[in-house]
Amino acid sequence: MLNAKLTNKLATVMFWAIGFGILSILAWFLWHILSAGLPHISWNFLTRKPEEMIAGGGIGPQLFNSFYILFLSLLFSIPFGIGAGIWLAEYARKNWFTDLVRLATEMLASVPSIVFGLFGLLVFVTTLHLGYSIIGGALTLSLLNLPVLVRVTEETLRAVPDSYREASLALGATKWQTIRKVLLPSALPGLVTGVTLVAGRALGESAILIFTAGVSVSRFAPDLNLFASGETLSVHLWYVRSEGLVPDATQIAEGTAALLVLVVLILNLLIALPSRLYQRKMAGKSS
């Protein structure tokens, strides 16, 4: 009994230490980036076009392109990803074909993003003659998001108790009505978590977009043309630090990095908070 209590205390201390360690690393990471970059963020920095040779350029077109490509990639990937997850969880029979689909999904989820970038370069940029464009980058990013959305949707729906399905079907609902009105609302928090993960990953992605969306921006800002070149914040950060010739390249990179972190944090909050409120509302109704 004494050994069991001692082991329990040691395990508790160890896990608390691990938790504090992770939070400390995250806090140091955020402080290091934000303290260096926030002083360089201003209204002119957020709205002006970038400069190639003189100081004082901004990141306005890159900021717009980041959200534009993110929106398009989610527009393409969410219906197909969630639809495939619903099929695997609710309709697919257990056979070699569904096992092959799951295996392929898991393999695609582990493929490095630069491989998707090369695939997008070969298919969308070269074969389909889309060039370095916003639509090419968005389509390639949607391929990166699909495996995660499929697996998250399937696992989230499988976590819903079977009693929900049985009760709905017993009341005369069809299978699709059960999925649409019972299972999907119950699985909504998990689905929102999956969308949040892929959205944050897409905002910070650079390898794919270097090969498909390019490293330049349109002369017009904002430019809704799907076939215009679409450099994003993450690509601009890479370009400025690696090949930038402007005198204030370091300041631009630090400001871009801080802005990218803030955008990801704010996006996660905007997506996660309504989901948490909805979850509490549903829990209150059920109780």
Side-chain angles (χ1 to χ4, degrees), residues 89-90 154-171 175 178-179 182-183 186:
E90 302 298 326
E154 182 185 4
E155 295 301 327
T156 304
L157 288 176
R158 288 186 180 277
V160 178
D162 288 336
S163 58
Y164 286 30
R165 298 174 177 82
E166 295 168 358
S168 178
L169 295 173
L171 292 174
K175 190 176 185 65
T178 300
I179 293 172
V182 178
L183 300 184
S186 300

Side-chain angles (χ1 to χ4, degrees), residues 1-16:
M1 179 64 69
L2 183 61
N3 290 334
K5 290 183 177 180
L6 180 61
T7 303
N8 180 64
K9 289 183 179 180
L10 290 175
T12 302
V13 172
M14 182 183 68
F15 287 123
W16 273 101

Side-chain angles (χ1 to χ4, degrees), residues 25-149:
I25 294 173
L26 178 62
W28 176 84
F29 174 78
L30 292 176
W31 176 83
H32 180 72
I33 293 180
L34 295 180
S35 62
L38 285 179
H40 305 302
I41 297 178
S42 63
W43 180 250
N44 287 334
F45 181 74
L46 296 176
T47 55
R48 290 189 61 180
K49 294 182 179 181
E51 298 287 349
E52 289 293 335
M53 300 298 295
I54 61 175
I59 44 85
Q62 287 85 354
L63 181 61
F64 172 78
N65 289 339
S66 296
F67 285 104
Y68 193 27
I69 291 179
L70 172 64
F71 170 76
L72 291 174
S73 66
L74 293 179
L75 187 66
F76 297 143
S77 60
I78 286 179
F80 290 102
I82 293 181
I86 292 174
W87 176 77
L88 285 172
E90 302 298 326
Y91 290 97
R93 297 180 179 179
K94 187 173 178 56
N95 52 38
W96 66 269
F97 180 72
T98 54
D99 291 339
L100 182 62
V101 171
R102 290 190 180 95
L103 178 62
T105 303
E106 293 174 357
M107 291 176 62
L108 285 174
S110 62
V111 171
S113 60
I114 194 169
V115 176
F116 281 99
L118 293 173
F119 175 82
L121 175 65
L122 176 64
V123 175
F124 300 121
V125 177
T126 305
T127 305
L128 298 181
H129 304 290
L130 297 179
Y132 294 103
S133 60
I134 290 174
I135 186 65
L139 288 172
T140 311
L141 269 183
S142 66
L143 296 179
L144 179 72
N145 295 338
L146 271 178
V148 177
L149 288 175

